[in-house]
Each structure stands twice: as structure tokens, then as C-alpha cells.
Amino acid sequence: MNKMTGSAMGEDTRGAIQEGIRNSAARMLESGEIDVFIGYEDGTLPLRTTPVFITRPEDAERLVWGPMCENNLTCYLPKFQGTVGVVVKGCDVRTLVNLILENQISRDKVKIVGVPCTGIIDRDRVGKALGTDRIINNAKVIERSLMLEGDGFEVEMEIRDVLASSCEVCRYPVPVVYDVLIGDESMAKDGKDPEAGYLEVEQFAELQPDARFSFFAQEIEGCIQCYACRQACPLCYCLECFADRQSPKWISRWRGLSDKMLFHLGRVLHVAGRCVDCGACRRACPVGIDLRLLTKNMEKVVKDSFEYESGLDIGGLPLLATYRREDPDDFIL
Amino acid sequence: MPSMLQDTGFDARIGVYVCHCGLNIAGVVDVEAVRESARFLEGVVVVRDNRYTCSEVGQKGIADDIKEFMLNRVVIASCSPRLHEKTFRTLLEKSGLNPHLLEMANIREHCSWVHYDNHEAATEKAKGLVHSSVARARLLQPLSRTKGRVVPEVMVVGGGVAGISASLYLGGMGIKTYLVEREPSIGGHMAMLDKTFPTLDCSLCILSPKMVEVAECENIKVLSYSEIEKVEGQVGDFRVQVRRKPRYVNEEKCVGCGDCVAKCPVKVKDDFNRNMGTRKAIYIPFPQAIPPAYVIDDQNCRYLTQGKCKICQAVCERGAIEYDQTSYVETIEVGAIIVATGFQPYDPRGLPQYGYGRFPNVITSLDFERLICADGPTYGKLKRPGDSQVPKRVAFIQCVGSRSVASGCRGYGLDAETGSSVGATDPKAYCSRVCCMITAKQAFMVKEKYPDAEVYVYYIDMRTAGKGFEEFYQRGRHEGIVFLRGKPGEIEERDDGCLRIISEDLDSGCILDLCFDMVVLAQGLTPPDGLVEFAQKMNLSRSEDGFLMEGHPKLRPAETAIDGIYLAGCVQFPKDIPDSVAQAGAAAAAAAVTCSKESIEIDPLGPVIDEALCIGCKLCEMLCPYGAIKVELTDKGPKAKSIEVACKGCGVCGASCSTRAITMKHYTDSQLTAQAKAILEVV
Ligand SMILES: Cc1cc2nc3c(=O)[nH]c(=O)nc-3n(C[C@H](O)[C@H](O)[C@H](O)COP(=O)(O)OP(=O)(O)OC[C@H]3O[C@@H](n4cnc5c(N)ncnc54)[C@H](O)[C@@H]3O)c2cc1C
Ligand code: SF4
Ligand code: SF4
Ligand code: SF4
Ligand code: SF4
């Protein structure tokens, strides 16, 4: 097969990467280098994978790889004592870097198996493209497409048309840090438009304040305060989240819109200078709130104001631990 | 003994005292109205107004109320806590209350003084501040002060005449003193001067006995060729890391015979002689240097740069040469520090119109001192650098680099872009205070040595305030020195090497066109090299002019805002030798007071860390400017721990903690929110 350049990869490459992940996991477990390996296995529903924690080399066979591997697995790392192996995509490894900088894990306690990423799919988009009333029984990745089968239909879809929004504008698909890199760096680069990354937030910022507020209110109204976004975020590791505090009780779960807004504004401020736009929160949201509009804007503010992109420099300092005289301060009231 | 009541803050019994401060407050703020507005606030049991709360009578009234009404919180609405917080805390303590149960509302600086033109608004604001203080007072907690130890030793940084004098005062009091000097010898600028105004004594003749006294005093240890690397701790208990640079000559073994110098093959420009003469790579800055040991200049030594030579080692009979010396850091514990790092003369290359650096016969006043000095490069003969001729016509130009806002730099001494110190070449706005007298002295010395020489002084104003100064200046006029009011715009060099100055004589209105053989620029005094970084290490503030800021411009001129750190000499502002010595005495006395204490009470401010919330992210550790909070591994994971003795209570950690695991003592979130809420309710 030719070198892959599409936004998705073919069966062979995907298979080879999957094989590579299984081999690395088995090898590291066998040699005792790691105590547990975190990866993905097939989920119980089509188009789904689920995190799996492998401790015996022979179980490495359960590991899979593909555009359905959507979770950011680094969120489990602070919970382990021993040495952990983990599969990461380009965005995941940046949260991992942040966890190291923030003293939540140490570099020597994690073996990073990086995969140059071609993007993952957004199931909501697949659903929309297909029509929401059609139930998928079986899904397969073939070359750069998805084959979806249901009762009485069989549809082929280009993966590039149903990519997660964060993947479409991903700037760092190749992991910036790794112990093992599985796959070819060159295949990750194509088919994406990082320059367009901030288009959406820029357009949004041009609206009148009223319009922005009512859009925001409308989006947030649907929040059921399950805090799945928080759970999915590797950087939300506080022992007691401000949203759960009883004294002072910042946020109530029954008062309605203002509490929901406060939660989301609080959440996005807490990941300021840390969020890497991996999109995990967006995908975790069961009601499909476009949380990326908030996080992406915060990322832009940080980049514009401090020339800082989070999670790229393992030898650096967290943004909030740095100060330069020329730092802008006009946003401080 | 704090009672239960105090501890819980449950049943707050608050007394509110509104001060008139004579008419300072009462002239603007309606004191009675403020008093009445506080009467029915929750927890308030008594309200009063006083003409002067800080007076005996005022204080006694509060003490009586504390007894009679069983007060457990006191709110005083008066001046800034910077002025009287200590007074009132002591009062509370004497009356059996914990001193931290006091809250002050500053209705003078914040109300009557700033809003003198709007009595009504000032009164409303005063009410708001008093209400907010009452709200905070309800939640105040008693705090116990810890005692810190006092190391009865002092470090003096900078070995100019100020540092030398301070060390001698301290040593004389029996206080062990470390004198840290950056250069190979102590002495500073005074060692470079020929004579001193207004008495014209020979500078080194009066300085070197003092230097010898330093060397002989058993309480003083001179750490020459050394610099401060890091300062930790607080008043009474500083830990200073001093970097000792290698001399490559063993100070103990060297007897200063000079055999090495004769044989050393490397000749370089002599910086002590303002680059006008030469010295060898192994040298002693001047014959009277203390310590009297030689030093190898490692930038120029042939062995240290090229690996070949070792001649000095071969000739030194005492085996004092040690090429393998390296720099090392020594940690010294002291109770107080005196900063006496002096000044740096203004570099006139910043004013290219005067041609310094381009025209050989344009020199500075410090160059002049070396040229006229018997120990200088010309053995005291005033030879102009261009052609070694003795000048017949000499001009002095005043205020070079001083009293100038021309180039837009107002003497901040800080580069707006980089924050680093502006080069010594940016003119300053202030008057350097000594250069008028320096010129009066130098002009006089020219006349004294060469009575036929014509001497002109171009000035803006002659500032000769000081004992005997005006008399000295008048004497110069009588000797025939011509003083011309009007600062020249430019110096031109003619083909024959003479210097042409066209200027306006403001007294006669005439345009003067004169030629000189030599021009001396009366350079101003600027903050010493590296002061920005030095001040950062010590956490000291600098004033707008770039010099170190004193504790109070009138009442604490030798102190700084940091307890236990004092100032002497030109590092605070340009001054002459007698003033430097006087300030050194004041700084030494202040340091001695600190050292005479058995222990020092440390304000119990700082972080309280809730381990259940701390996630050990180290943000506080990375941000604390004093290294006073550290994340340690506990059985519950990494947790922040406060190092109380090092903490200055700045609050950075509390503000930075993303999980709100840190509460600042005496400034708790609940206290501050209550305060803010109360203000908002009034407005
Ligand atoms: C040309 C000229 C002529 C003058 N003539 C007279 C006169 O006739 N009469 C008179 O009263 N005054 C005169 N003065 C003023 C006089 O020189 C000063 O008042 C006096 O030198 C101030 O002493 P000082 O100790 O404060 O500073 P300095 O003499 O500057 O001494 C400071 C010392 O600190 C050291 N130092 C600096 N930074 C550090 C550091 N980071 N760490 C360790 N050490 C450091 C320096 O090496 C220096 O030894 C004259 C000044 C000039 C420029
Ligand atoms: S939302 Fe903020 S406070 Fe809460 S766990 Fe996440 S980062 Fe911590
Ligand atoms: S906030 Fe969302 S996008 Fe940002 S790092 Fe967390 S999960 Fe990823
Ligand atoms: S002392 Fe005299 S020469 Fe120096 S700056 Fe002041 S006025 Fe000018
Ligand atoms: S208050 Fe916090 S940041 Fe400030 S000195 Fe103390 S420990 Fe350090």
C-alpha cells in the first residue's frame, strides 16, 4: 500500500499500529517495566471503544486502535501508584505534560506510547449525517471510510467528514513527548486546517454582547450538571471541585441557569493556560453542549496574551507560575 | 490569656472609635455622623469620637471601655495603620486583648485628605470604611506571635567610606561584622580622590588609617572580591550566600612585596586609574589596598587564559600564587544587613555633544582626580591625555548627566522594555548634589598648581550648601576662577586639538566663543552598577531616581522598608563624604539596636494549608518569592508545607492556589468578603 496521506488511514496501517501497541504493551508488562497498561478495547456498542487496564501480557490482545479511540486516557494517570504505560494521541500527551508540570505524576513513572493521530470521529456528526432515527448495528473502518450497517441500510461515510471538531483544527497531531512512537509521523499531517482553528471563536466574538449572551444561555440551559465534562478532563483533578464545595456553596444543582453558567465559566477559568483543546469535555457531554467554544476561546486568549501554548514544553513552567514584566494586564479590572 | 469569647468570635463586642485628628479629619469628614452610623451595627456595643485617639487621653478611654464594656474587638477609624497600628496593638495587649483583634479604618489618607473638596462624599466613604471594618472585626481571630532568634552579627555590603565607617562603628561596639566588597580592595571612590573639599585634605591620608583600622579590628572580617548571591530569612536571622571570587593569590601568604609584578609579562589598562595608565595582570589596585594582597586578573593572565606562563608562581618566594583557586559560596548568618554599595559616576558618552570618548582632552571629574593625584598615572602632573601637555586654559562644565530631562529619561533608572537598569549613560533628572563642590575644589586645585592657568566654570546654578562650602566657593572666585552662568550646548574639537565652546553668558547676555586646552565634565552620580538585580535579591524598593528607597524620607533615612536592612552612603542618594559617614553611623546604630535584642517577634501572618484540599501542584512553591512554602511528600500524597520563619506573609500563595487550599492568617476569605460586602451595602 502507498504511504498514507488521507485524513484517515487504511486498514493495513491501522492494523499495524494496533499490532505495535499490543506488542509494546506485552513487552513492557513482561519485562516488568510497567505495572499496568492503559489503552482502548472494543466497546459494547458500535463506534465505541472503552478504556482498558491491562496487567497481564497475554491480555494485550484486547487492545485496539482506530478513529473511535476518543477518550483522553491520561486522566487516569494520577490515580495510579506504580509505573503505567499509556497510549496517547497528539493532544493527550499535552495534558500529560501538564500533569507532569503540575506535579501530579512523575515522568519516570509513565511509559508513553505515542501514536501520530489522524483524528477521531464525532459520533454526533455521524448520527446527523445518517439521520438520527437510524440505528447502527455494526460499524467498520475501511480505508478512509466508515461502513455503517443497520436494519435495512448500509452506508459508507468519509471519515474526514465526521471528524471531531477539535481534530479538524489540530496543530500537534504527533505526540511532542513519547517513549515509543508507533506509526509514521508523516501520515498525521494532512487534511487538517490548523489556521482555521480560531475562526469560530473569532466569528462568535464579533456578535453583539446580547446575541452572545443569549446563545450562551441557550446552550448552557441544557446542561444537566452531570459534570461529565469535568470527569473527562485530565486536568480536573482537584480533590474537591469548587462545584462540589458545601462551604462556601458556590454552585447549587437546582437553581437553574445562573448556577450552570457559573459552573461552566468557573470550569473554563480553572483550565486557563492548561487546556490543550483535546475536546474530551466536548465529547463527554451527553447533551452535546458546544463546550469547545469556551475552552477554545480561553486557549486563544492565553495564546494571544502570553504567547503560551500549553503542554508543549516538558522542561518549562505552567503559565500561571510565570511572570514577565511585559505581560499584558489590561484584562485585570 | 485569650478568653473563649475572643477565640470563637461568636459574641463579638466591638468598640468603634472615630478620630478627629484635630481638624485633619474633622475638617472634612462629619465625624459625629460617622460615629452614629456605626452605633447599631451588629456587635457594636460602644461608639465614640476623640480629638486625638492616639493621645494619652484617647488611649486611656479605649482601655477603660475594654474593661467596662468587656470589649473583645476594637475598630479605630483614624489614620493609616502604617502610622499607629503598632500603638493600638500595644494598647490592646496591655488591656488583655490579643493585639490582632484590632481593625483600623483609614479615614484620613483615604477620606479627608484625598476628598478635601467634597465633604459629603468623604463622610459617606468614611462610613463605608467603618462599616467594612466592623464587618471584618467580627471575624478577626486572635493570633499568637512566634519569636524568632537574633544572630548578633551584622553584614555590611560595600566597602566605600560609608561601609568602612559603619563597620568601624559596629566593630567598636563589639559586634561581629562582615564587610563584603565587590572589588579586590575596600576604599570605594574615596580611595580614587586626590583631595577633598572644602578642607583639601588628602583623601587617602584620611581614609587609609580607617582602612587599616578595619583590617586590625578583630570584630571585622573583610570579605573582599565577593558578591551577594542570595539572601534568605528575616530581621534577626538572615542567611546570606556570599560568592567569593578567586584571587589566585593566597591572602594570608602574600606580603605584598611586589616581586611578581615586576616579572609579569602582561600589561593592561589600569581601571583604577580610569584606564589612563597601565598595570600588570597580577596587581594591587593601589598601594594602600586592604587586604594588602595581590590579585590576578583572570581575563588577562597569560597562564589562566592560554595555559602558559606561571612566571609569578616561580618568582613568589612565599608560594602565595594558587592558580587552582575557584569561586565558591560561603553562607553567613547575620541579624542585620547594611547596604552601602555607593554610586557609579555618570558616563558622559550618553551626551555625544560633549565628545567624551571621542575628544581625548575632554575628561570627567573622576578622571581629573586621577590625573592630579601624586599616585596617579602622571604622578600628579596635570597632563592632558591628548598630547601630555599641561593645559593653560581649562573649562569645567556642570550638571553633566544631572538635572536633565532632555533625552526623555526622567532618571527612573529602569528600562521600560526590559526592566533592567538603564545604562549609566542616560541623563538623570535629579541634582547630584556634590559636583558643584567637586568642581569648585578641582578648579581651585588647578589654580593652586598652575597659578597662570585660566579656569572657567560653566554652570546652571552653583549649589554650595554645606558647612564651609559657600566660603570655599567664594575663595575660588577670588583666586580668579571665572564662573559663567549658562550651560554650553556643544564642544567642538579644532584641528590643533583645542576645544571650542560657544555659549550664552546669561548674566551679560553675550555670546561667548572660547577655546580651551582641556574640558572637565562634572559628571553626576548614578545608582551603582547592578543595583536593580541587587535590590531584587534583597527585596528592596528603589525610588524613582533609581537609588534605594529609605524607610521614611524624613524620619527613617537610614532604614529600608524591610526590617533589619539599613542604608548608608550614596546608594540611598548622592551625598558627600561627611554625609555618607553620618548616615553610616545612623545605620550602624539601627543595626546595633536589632542585634541587641534577645529575640524578635514575628508577625503571625502567612498561609494555613488545608491538606484535604491541597493537590500538591507546586504552584505556590513556584511562585513564593521567599522560598517559604514547599511541597513535601506525605502519606496522603504531595502536600504544601509552610516554612514560617521564611514567610513574609505576602499572600502570593493564597492568591495563586487554584483549589483554595490556602487561607491567609488575618486575611481570610471570609474576613475579606465580609469587608467587601459591608462596603457595597453602604454605597
Ligand atoms: C570625582 C569625585 C570627587 C569627589 N570629591 C569629593 C570631595 O572632595 N569631598 C567629599 O566629601 N566627597 C567627594 N565625592 C563624593 C564621595 O566620593 C562620596 O560621597 C563617597 O565616595 C560615597 O561613599 P560610599 O561608600 O557611599 O560609596 P562608594 O565610594 O561608591 O563605595 C561603594 C563601594 O561598594 C562596592 N560595591 C558596589 N556594589 C557592590 C556590590 N553589589 N557588592 C559588594 N560591593 C559593592 C564598590 O566597589 C565600592 O567599594 C566625590 C565624588 C566624585 C565622583
Ligand atoms: S473544575 Fe477546577 S477546581 Fe474543579 S477539579 Fe477541575 S480544575 Fe479543579
Ligand atoms: S478542558 Fe476539555 S479540551 Fe481542555 S484539556 Fe480539558 S478535556 Fe481537553
Ligand atoms: S551639584 Fe551642582 S553640578 Fe551637580 S547636579 Fe547639582 S547643580 Fe549640577
Ligand atoms: S505568604 Fe505564601 S507566597 Fe508569601 S512568603 Fe508566605 S508562603 Fe511565600
Side-chain angles (χ1 to χ4, degrees):
Chain A
M1 154 153 264
N2 294 336
K3 200 149 188 199
M4 293 303 311
T5 48
S7 64
M9 60 194 125
E11 201 47 37
D12 287 359
T13 324
R14 199 173 62 88
I17 291 175
Q18 183 163 299
E19 223 17 65
I21 294 172
R22 288 177 181 176
N23 289 342
S24 304
R27 189 173 35 73
M28 289 194 277
L29 284 167
E30 226 150 57
S31 69
E33 243 178 289
I34 57 171
D35 302 308
V36 59
F37 188 89
I38 314 178
Y40 306 89
E41 72 176 336
D42 275 326
T44 47
L45 292 173
L47 288 183
R48 288 268 195 184
T49 58
T50 183
V52 61
F53 304 84
I54 310 262
T55 49
R56 296 180 307 177
E58 57 270 31
D59 291 341
E61 290 303 304
R62 289 162 64 186
L63 293 163
V64 300
W65 178 252
M68 280 92 97
C69 294
E70 62 172 53
N71 298 53
N72 184 337
L73 300 177
T74 63
C75 72
Y76 299 108
L77 292 175
K79 300 189 172 80
F80 285 94
Q81 295 294 330
T83 308
V84 187
V86 63
V87 181
V88 292
K89 305 182 285 288
C91 54
D92 305 341
V93 83
R94 293 173 60 200
T95 55
L96 195 153
V97 165
N98 282 337
L99 288 171
I100 292 171
L101 295 189
E102 292 166 14
N103 201 32
Q104 299 308 304
I105 51 177
S106 65
R107 178 68 184 89
D108 52 349
K109 285 283 166 63
V110 48
K111 286 277 170 268
I112 307 170
V113 177
V115 184
C117 183
T118 49
I120 51 179
I121 57 166
D122 178 344
R123 272 173 287 107
D124 286 352
R125 280 196 164 176
V126 175
K128 275 195 196 118
L130 195 64
T132 34
D133 51 343
R134 297 164 91 175
I135 293 171
I136 305 165
N137 293 334
N138 199 6
K140 251 199 285 188
V141 182
I142 294 175
E143 299 278 322
R144 295 167 218 176
S145 336
L146 284 178
M147 284 300 296
L148 307 170
E149 283 170 37
D151 289 345
F153 67 89
E154 210 184 285
V155 178
E156 188 177 341
M157 236 175 238
E158 284 258 352
I159 288 181
R160 81 159 77 212
D161 296 334
V162 291
L163 277 184
S165 54
S166 51
C167 299
E168 281 183 313
V169 295
C170 175
R171 282 188 306 267
Y172 302 98
V174 181
V176 290
V177 184
Y178 52 77
D179 294 303
V180 188
L181 188 70
I182 297 180
D184 182 352
E185 290 196 21
S186 63
M187 71 189 188
K189 299 254 157 77
D190 202 49
K192 294 166 186 168
D193 184 8
E195 292 312 311
Y198 298 116
L199 215 59
E200 206 183 343
V201 288
E202 274 159 8
Q203 279 165 359
F204 187 68
E206 299 204 335
L207 299 178
Q208 290 301 310
D210 285 357
R212 273 184 281 161
F213 186 83
S214 52
F215 176 85
F216 180 52
Q218 209 182 335
E219 276 289 293
I220 297 299
E221 184 77 79
C223 173
I224 54 173
Q225 285 179 277
C226 67
Y227 301 155
C229 49
R230 176 189 76 188
Q231 294 316 108
C233 176
L235 299 174
C236 272
Y237 50 70
C238 283
L239 298 175
E240 191 188 359
C241 174
F242 78 104
D244 298 330
R245 277 266 178 108
Q246 294 301 313
S247 164
K249 191 168 175 60
W250 301 107
I251 289 181
S252 121
R253 289 210 186 185
W254 52 271
R255 285 214 186 132
L257 187 59
S258 64
D259 285 272
K260 295 176 186 178
M261 284 185 165
L262 185 62
F263 168 70
H264 285 286
L265 295 176
R267 192 186 80 85
V268 73
L269 278 171
H270 288 180
V271 292
R274 309 165 66 225
C275 173
V276 305
D277 191 24
C278 69
C281 49
R282 164 75 178 84
R283 291 190 296 273
C285 181
V287 284
I289 297 171
D290 191 1
L291 295 169
R292 272 195 67 238
L293 210 50
L294 284 174
T295 51
K296 192 73 191 170
N297 188 52
M298 178 57 82
E299 200 210 310
K300 178 171 160 26
V301 169
V302 166
K303 191 165 181 245
D304 292 350
S305 314
F306 306 105
E307 297 149 35
Y308 185 89
E309 282 186 280
S310 134
L312 294 179
D313 181 8
I314 202 166
L317 281 174
L319 177 68
L320 292 180
T322 59
Y323 172 69
R324 297 171 306 173
R325 292 180 75 92
E326 58 273 25
D327 280 349
D329 51 12
D330 42 354
F331 52 82
I332 297 170
L333 289 177
Chain B
M1 261 317 278
S3 69
M4 277 300 286
L5 205 63
Q6 284 184 19
D7 275 318
T8 57
F10 241 65
D11 251 323
R13 295 181 63 79
I14 306 173
V16 178
Y17 301 88
V18 188
C19 189
H20 292 237
C21 194
L23 281 179
N24 267 313
I25 295 171
V28 175
V29 170
D30 181 347
V31 170
E32 282 82 22
V34 175
R35 182 196 66 203
E36 284 315 306
S37 85
R39 189 177 288 277
F40 298 111
L41 294 177
E42 193 191 327
V44 173
V45 284
V46 54
V47 290
R48 291 190 200 284
D49 59 299
N50 300 93
R51 265 177 66 73
Y52 290 104
T53 314
C54 56
S55 67
E56 276 287 319
V57 198
Q59 293 203 40
K60 179 149 188 312
I62 298 177
D64 292 347
D65 282 356
I66 292 178
K67 276 213 193 75
E68 187 179 340
F69 296 98
M70 301 202 312
L71 299 183
N72 54 21
R73 303 283 190 284
V74 173
V75 171
I76 296 176
S78 57
C79 49
S80 159
R82 286 196 61 161
L83 226 70
H84 275 311
E85 191 175 58
K86 216 169 174 182
T87 319
F88 295 127
R89 279 190 174 169
T90 316
L91 170 67
L92 260 65
E93 208 164 12
K94 279 193 199 149
S95 314
L97 281 185
N98 183 286
H100 290 89
L101 298 173
L102 166 79
E103 174 66 12
M104 289 182 75
N106 183 355
I107 61 167
R108 191 179 75 178
E109 281 86 335
H110 290 176
C111 299
S112 62
W113 280 2
V114 277
H115 308 298
Y116 57 88
D117 54 350
N118 190 341
H119 295 198
E120 230 160 79
T123 305
E124 284 312 298
K125 186 171 170 189
K127 286 182 190 166
L129 291 179
V130 170
H131 290 208
S132 79
S133 294
V134 169
R136 172 154 185 248
R138 281 200 286 269
L139 299 173
L140 286 177
Q141 295 290 323
L143 297 170
S144 49
R145 287 189 232 188
T146 44
K147 280 201 191 316
R149 66 167 188 157
V150 175
V151 182
E153 299 180 3
V154 179
M155 177 171 290
V156 177
V157 188
V161 65
I164 289 173
S165 308
S167 304
L168 286 174
Y169 284 125
L170 288 163
M173 286 185 260
I175 296 173
K176 168 104 197 174
T177 304
Y178 300 89
L179 176 54
V180 179
E181 168 58 52
R182 177 160 73 179
E183 300 297 324
S185 169
I186 58 171
H189 284 100
M190 192 175 163
M192 299 168 85
L193 307 182
D194 182 42
K195 288 184 178 152
T196 55
F197 60 75
T199 46
L200 295 182
D201 345 50
C202 146
S203 188
L204 258 181
C205 311
I206 55 177
L207 181 65
S208 74
K210 289 201 160 253
M211 291 167 60
V212 171
E213 224 182 299
V214 165
E216 284 173 355
C217 176
E218 57 182 17
N219 291 323
I220 304 176
K221 183 165 181 219
V222 177
L223 308 176
S224 61
Y225 220 29
S226 303
E227 276 185 83
I228 305 299
E229 188 125 313
K230 196 171 170 197
V231 180
E232 286 174 334
Q234 72 290 325
V235 52
D237 195 5
F238 292 106
R239 281 171 305 288
V240 191
Q241 292 182 8
V242 181
R243 176 159 298 276
R244 311 288 315 266
K245 291 179 277 189
R247 283 183 100 92
Y248 305 103
V249 175
N250 187 319
E251 248 176 74
E252 255 86 74
K253 289 188 189 160
C254 172
V255 288
C257 64
D259 288 351
C260 49
V261 175
K263 293 278 151 56
C264 173
V266 184
K267 252 193 193 169
V268 290
K269 285 197 170 158
D270 183 358
D271 33 7
F272 186 79
N273 276 326
R274 307 279 299 161
N275 295 334
M276 289 181 295
T278 55
R279 62 158 166 79
K280 295 294 183 64
I282 186 163
Y283 70 105
I284 192 161
F286 52 100
Q288 301 86 336
I290 296 288
Y294 279 67
V295 53
I296 297 182
D297 164 2
D298 53 11
Q299 301 302 307
N300 292 301
C301 164
R302 190 169 289 176
Y303 176 66
L304 291 172
T305 54
Q306 296 163 25
K308 271 198 225 101
C309 182
K310 288 200 175 186
I311 294 179
C312 50
Q313 195 171 50
V315 296
C316 179
E317 282 176 8
R318 303 188 47 100
I321 311 288
E322 295 171 355
Y323 298 114
D324 54 356
Q325 280 188 9
T326 47
S327 92
Y328 62 96
V329 172
E330 194 172 330
T331 302
I332 294 171
E333 294 186 343
V334 290
I337 301 172
I338 295 177
V339 180
T341 55
F343 67 94
Q344 180 180 8
Y346 172 74
D347 181 346
R349 279 175 298 187
L351 296 170
Q353 61 268 41
Y354 291 149
Y356 183 67
R358 280 185 295 137
F359 307 153
N361 296 327
V362 175
I363 64 169
T364 67
S365 10
L366 197 55
D367 298 340
F368 180 91
E369 295 285 343
R370 294 316 300 153
L371 277 183
I372 199 94
C373 179
D375 266 337
T378 55
Y379 307 102
K381 224 166 177 220
L382 189 64
K383 292 184 187 164
R384 60 177 201 172
D387 52 10
S388 297
Q389 295 300 309
V390 174
K392 296 197 181 64
R393 287 163 69 90
V394 181
F396 288 83
I397 299 180
Q398 293 310 99
C399 302
V400 174
S402 309
R403 303 182 66 190
S404 163
V405 285
S407 78
C409 173
R410 302 213 1 257
Y412 288 97
L414 251 197
D415 187 309
E417 284 288 302
T418 62
S420 65
S421 45
V422 172
T425 55
D426 293 288
K428 311 294 183 221
Y430 53 82
C431 162
S432 295
R433 229 179 107 179
V434 287
C435 10
C436 279
M437 279 308 290
I438 293 172
T439 290
K441 167 186 79 175
Q442 295 182 344
F444 191 88
M445 281 156 71
V446 178
K447 272 281 184 202
E448 196 184 43
K449 263 202 173 142
Y450 308 101
D452 293 338
E454 287 177 51
V455 183
Y456 288 75
V457 177
Y458 292 93
Y459 69 96
I460 308 179
D461 307 283
M462 283 305 283
R463 297 189 165 171
T464 56
K467 193 168 175 171
F469 288 10
E470 177 66 14
E471 294 86 327
F472 183 81
Y473 161 54
Q474 291 303 341
R475 208 171 125 202
R477 294 192 88 120
H478 290 304
E479 292 296 326
I481 300 167
V482 183
F483 286 88
L484 296 168
R485 183 197 298 276
K487 198 172 166 180
E490 196 181 2
I491 300 177
E492 264 176 69
E493 188 181 41
R494 290 195 328 204
D495 289 344
D496 61 1
C498 282
L499 301 158
R500 178 177 178 202
I501 296 180
I502 302 178
S503 76
E504 184 182 354
D505 175 13
L506 294 175
D507 290 326
S508 67
C510 298
I511 300 294
L512 303 175
D513 185 349
L514 301 173
C515 275
F516 298 97
D517 302 325
M518 187 165 98
V519 177
V520 183
L521 304 177
Q523 56 195 149
L525 273 54
T526 68
D529 189 28
L531 189 65
V532 176
E533 297 75 22
F534 184 82
Q536 270 164 5
K537 280 183 203 159
M538 303 282 255
N539 245 315
L540 295 172
S541 329
R542 299 179 319 129
S543 358
E544 206 175 291
D545 49 41
F547 292 94
L548 292 185
M549 178 122 81
E550 57 287 323
H552 185 281
K554 288 140 216 167
L555 300 178
R556 284 153 51 82
E559 283 97 322
T560 65
I562 308 248
D563 284 344
I565 303 187
Y566 309 100
L567 300 178
C570 290
V571 73
Q572 181 250 342
F573 193 72
K575 50 175 74 70
D576 57 16
I577 295 165
D579 284 0
S580 299
V581 173
Q583 197 178 19
V593 168
T594 298
C595 287
S596 66
K597 292 185 179 150
E598 296 218 317
S599 63
I600 282 179
E601 290 205 329
I602 300 173
D603 247 352
L605 303 181
V608 181
I609 298 145
D610 184 344
E611 290 207 343
L613 293 176
C614 173
I615 49 176
C617 70
K618 283 197 179 172
L619 197 56
C620 53
E621 178 179 320
M622 289 186 256
L623 290 169
C624 173
Y626 307 98
I629 193 163
K630 289 255 145 55
V631 172
E632 285 169 12
L633 202 61
T634 68
D635 46 0
K636 292 193 212 87
K639 301 285 171 194
K641 291 256 172 343
S642 154
I643 304 165
E644 276 175 35
V645 287
C647 173
K648 302 250 193 253
C650 69
V652 163
C653 54
S656 69
C657 177
S658 55
T659 76
R660 320 288 303 129
I662 294 178
T663 304
M664 301 308 299
K665 283 186 228 165
H666 207 53
Y667 294 95
T668 66
D669 283 357
S670 48
Q671 288 168 2
L672 299 181
T673 10
Q675 200 168 6
K677 258 193 189 158
I679 291 195
L680 294 175
E681 273 161 20
V682 173
V683 293

